[in-house]
Amino acid sequence: MNPIERIEMNQMRMDAPAMRSGDKVRVHYRIREGEKVRTQIFEGVMIGQSRGGVRSSITVRKISFGVGVERIFPIHSPLIEKVELVNHNRVRRAKLYYLRALRGKAARLKELRK
């Protein structure tokens, strides 16, 4: 293990759940507004994941007031308080970018039975 990997291991968080594309997740993100700090919850479908140690990130998409909103969250950021897994959906691709073009019922994903 080289020195860079040793430093990165100290910065990684180990409490992230096992997630994959298609999962519905709830990300608790700390936001600073002037002097105040509050937690905002962003809930949506995980459409992509970038792996790479401390640089790994997830892309989460939700529909807000009829408009699609996507946000990229670095998983190991100190601003993320926690990531909750709401449910698993059955998908056959690693990146779900095709959901951007779908609307309404066509954009639904099948939920996995537990």
Side-chain angles (χ1 to χ4, degrees):
M1 186 182 299
N2 63 23
I4 294 175
E5 289 175 352
R6 209 173 289 132
I7 292 170
E8 286 180 352
M9 286 298 288
N10 294 335
Q11 296 174 352
M12 290 178 69
R13 75 171 2 149
M14 300 302 169
D15 61 346
M19 301 175 290
R20 56 186 194 195
S21 292
D23 291 350
K24 191 169 193 178
V25 293
R26 191 176 295 140
V27 181
H28 296 257
Y29 197 71
R30 200 173 316 128
I31 292 181
R32 185 183 185 108
E33 296 175 336
E35 298 293 320
K36 295 181 182 178
V37 176
R38 68 180 181 89
T39 301
Q40 185 175 28
I41 300 173
F42 192 91
E43 181 175 343
V45 177
M46 192 170 102
I47 64 169
Q49 185 172 15
S50 158
R51 298 176 190 253
V54 78
R55 294 170 297 281
S56 61
S57 63
I58 59 173
T59 304
V60 182
R61 178 180 176 82
K62 74 174 183 176
I63 304 297
S64 178
F65 298 101
V67 178
V69 179
E70 288 185 13
R71 189 142 183 212
I72 300 171
F73 294 101
I75 294 175
H76 302 288
S77 170
L79 295 177
I80 291 184
E81 290 182 0
K82 66 179 174 178
V83 178
E84 291 179 54
L85 191 60
V86 178
N87 64 6
H88 292 289
N89 293 316
R90 183 179 161 268
V91 294
R92 297 173 69 177
R93 305 208 182 290
K95 308 286 187 196
L96 304 178
Y97 298 145
Y98 67 90
L99 289 177
R100 295 172 177 164
L102 301 179
R103 300 283 177 254
K105 285 186 177 181
R108 288 183 298 179
L109 298 173
K110 289 194 177 198
E111 186 175 344
L112 279 178
R113 303 271 181 206
K114 291 189 177 179

